[in-house]
Each structure stands twice: as structure tokens, then as C-alpha cells.
Amino acid sequence: MKVLFLTERGYLPQMVGGSEWSTHFLCAGLQAAGDEAAVICHLQNQGWIAFRNRIERKLFHRKFPSDRSLGYLVFRGWSVEQGLDEVLSRMKPDVLIVIGAAPNPARLALHAKSTGLP
């Protein structure tokens, strides 16, 4: 099964908090069980990850370049709602899970629901 977690917050290692660690351990557990997990999140505009992200944006014309620095895909960009279709076409997840700590998770959940995925 392919699971995509969505958040409008930053994510590890750019942002560190309880929801980020909980999501990380869920993703690691899913991977260990043979499933595929990924996260789509807000890009923090500093550090090596942001620099690499900007280069990939220019070279590959993607709104949400990905990295595997945590052992699974993390798609980072500036508007999760605007980049979701791109990530869905690249990853083809079976399930979407909105992380409740995000700013306005209800709006993000409604947008996720409009994709038709559970």
C-alpha cells in the first residue's frame, strides 16, 4: 500500500516537533512492514535541502521536488494544495492522511477529499 501524509507545516529535518516525529515513525514503520510512505510538506527556505530543492525546481520544472534523506520520499514546496496533483501523478498513492497539526488541516482535508482518494 502507498500512503501519502499531507501537511502545510515544514517537516524533518527543517522543522522539528511532535507531529513531525510521530509522522516520521509512522512512515518508518510502514516502510519496515513493506508498504510505501511519503510526506508532502511546506519547504522551509534555508539550508541544504532548500538549496537542492531550488535547483531541482529549475532543472526538472517541478513544484514539489523530493528527497529521501529520511529513508522515504518527502516532497517539499510552497503550497501543498497547488502541488498535490503533481505529487499524486508521480507517487500514485492509495491513501491520503492529513496531519492534524497543520495550519488549517480541515481545509487541506477537504482538498485531499476532492481527489477521490480515501
Side-chain angles (χ1 to χ4, degrees):
M1 178 184 326
K2 294 182 179 182
V3 180
L4 178 62
F5 292 88
L6 294 80
T7 181
E8 287 283 359
R9 292 171 50 99
Y11 191 68
L12 299 171
Q14 292 189 310
M15 178 174 275
V16 178
S19 66
E20 290 78 27
W21 281 115
S22 295
T23 303
H24 171 69
F25 289 120
L26 281 168
C27 289
L30 286 166
Q31 295 279 105
D35 294 309
E36 186 176 335
V39 175
I40 180 173
C41 64
H42 180 76
L43 174 68
Q44 303 295 307
N45 207 15
Q46 70 271 353
W48 173 249
I49 290 175
F51 178 72
R52 184 175 173 267
N53 186 287
R54 284 194 297 272
I55 291 171
E56 285 192 36
R57 282 172 165 270
K58 297 287 186 195
L59 290 176
F60 302 112
H61 306 288
R62 292 183 173 158
K63 292 178 185 176
F64 275 74
S66 63
D67 64 77
R68 285 191 176 269
S69 62
L70 298 167
Y72 49 88
L73 285 171
V74 178
F75 299 92
R76 301 175 197 270
W78 286 297
S79 172
V80 172
E81 285 185 30
Q82 290 179 6
L84 186 57
D85 288 340
E86 173 189 310
V87 171
L88 293 178
S89 69
R90 288 169 56 199
M91 183 191 171
K92 300 188 182 358
D94 300 308
V95 176
L96 303 177
I97 298 175
V98 175
I99 300 169
N104 201 350
R107 186 189 78 237
L108 186 56
L110 286 173
H111 184 75
K113 185 178 178 187
S114 74
T115 67
L117 290 169

